[in-house]
Amino acid sequence: MEWFYANGGNRMGPIPPVTFEGLITDGTVKTDTLVWSATMTDWQPFGQIAPETATCAASGGRYWQRDMVPYEGKFVSAEHKEEFFQRIREGVQQPGTMVYGNFWPRFLAKVIDVIIRGVVGALINACLAMFFFGEFIFQPKANNPLVTGKFWAYQGTVFLVSIAFGVTYYWFFLSRFAATPGKMALGLKVVQGNGAKLSTGRIIGRYFAEMLSAMILCIGYIMAAFDSERRALHDQICDTRVIKSR
């Protein structure tokens, strides 16, 4: 099965399934990109048909799930079915099989992201302090109701801006590169359980689910060290996987 997609008003294709999957991964085909295959009646945004498709565990190409064979949480295209099960009988690792990121690379990736966000967050907080108080580093002043009121307004603004920045940070990098800077540095990326790229809704949901992993004494993160698919709590909630990209 071959794919077509729209790019700047031009029809691109036919594209083999493996090449099409690569275009999804590198961000050329996005959720709002119009796509078409021979089994579709009309062009549709990829985001609408993505849940009905999956990555073939044998070839790494993108196919319709209805035409694939499910096997242990994976999907195999009909044309690669015999090859896939022959490799299983021979005990050979499948080329499309996801290799999950281990706990320590994920930990180091998180440290890098925390540092990056911390530096940018400090700059944002300094700018907000200058806006509210006229100084980059706010020094509390006792018994001054006006300053107290500004302080709480400042704290509320910092909280909202930090949430907005965090969501934007994760959305930008995960939607464009399937990895944050920390994960890119450690050769990791985040995908759905079936290997597909994360949608905007799933990225945002994973961001807030990750807060839960941190709130329970970081136990949600530690779970990744013991899970067979290296899933943290937020991965289990959002059906995501952190896999090796190189």
Side-chain angles (χ1 to χ4, degrees):
M1 178 190 68
E2 295 178 316
W3 292 90
F4 294 80
Y5 71 98
N7 185 4
N10 298 317
R11 188 181 77 168
M12 310 298 291
I15 307 295
V18 175
T19 304
F20 184 70
E21 179 68 21
L23 294 175
I24 297 169
T25 301
D26 66 21
T28 301
V29 174
K30 303 180 177 64
T31 55
D32 59 349
T33 301
L34 293 175
V35 299
W36 181 84
S37 73
T39 60
M40 298 170 60
T41 57
D42 200 0
W43 290 72
Q44 295 183 37
F46 176 69
Q48 292 185 10
I49 63 119
E52 303 176 29
T53 65
T55 304
C56 175
S59 67
R62 172 73 50 167
Y63 297 85
W64 292 97
Q65 288 188 21
R66 61 175 177 264
D67 299 325
M68 304 177 76
V69 178
Y71 177 78
E72 295 185 351
K74 308 179 185 70
F75 288 89
V76 185
S77 63
E79 61 188 275
H80 295 97
K81 179 178 65 175
E82 292 301 324
E83 171 194 348
F84 178 83
F85 288 106
Q86 179 61 35
R87 293 175 70 88
I88 288 179
R89 288 190 290 269
E90 295 173 357
V92 180
Q93 182 178 356
Q94 301 296 334
T97 300
M98 292 186 287
V99 180
Y100 304 112
N102 292 323
F103 175 79
W104 288 113
R106 291 187 62 170
F107 174 79
L108 293 175
K110 174 56 66 175
V111 170
I112 293 172
D113 286 325
V114 167
I115 292 173
I116 293 173
R117 291 181 59 192
V119 171
V120 176
L123 293 174
I124 293 174
N125 291 352
C127 291
L128 289 173
M130 174 60 73
F131 174 79
F132 278 94
F133 309 110
E135 53 189 22
F136 285 116
I137 301 177
F138 172 61
Q139 299 294 330
K141 301 173 180 62
N143 302 321
N144 188 331
L146 180 61
V147 172
T148 301
K150 283 186 176 182
F151 174 76
W152 288 113
Y154 164 75
Q155 291 283 36
T157 303
V158 167
F159 174 75
L160 294 176
V161 170
S162 65
I163 292 294
F165 170 65
V167 170
T168 303
Y169 180 88
Y170 279 94
W171 170 80
F172 176 80
F173 287 107
L174 290 180
S175 63
R176 193 172 184 85
F177 306 107
T180 58
K183 286 184 171 58
M184 284 189 278
L186 273 296
L188 304 171
K189 68 178 183 178
V190 186
V191 297
Q192 293 186 40
N194 62 4
K197 196 171 183 179
L198 271 59
S199 64
T200 295
R202 196 179 296 263
I203 291 172
I204 295 174
R206 190 176 188 273
Y207 171 81
F208 287 104
E210 192 168 340
M211 289 183 178
L212 179 60
S213 292
M215 288 169 57
I216 53 175
L217 304 177
C218 292
I219 293 174
Y221 290 109
I222 297 172
M223 289 170 61
F226 304 98
D227 184 77
S228 61
E229 297 183 350
R230 299 295 182 261
R231 295 173 299 171
L233 177 61
H234 47 279
D235 293 314
Q236 296 187 26
I237 293 173
C238 299
D239 187 29
T240 56
R241 307 289 188 277
V242 176
I243 63 174
K244 295 181 180 180
S245 60
R246 64 172 185 268

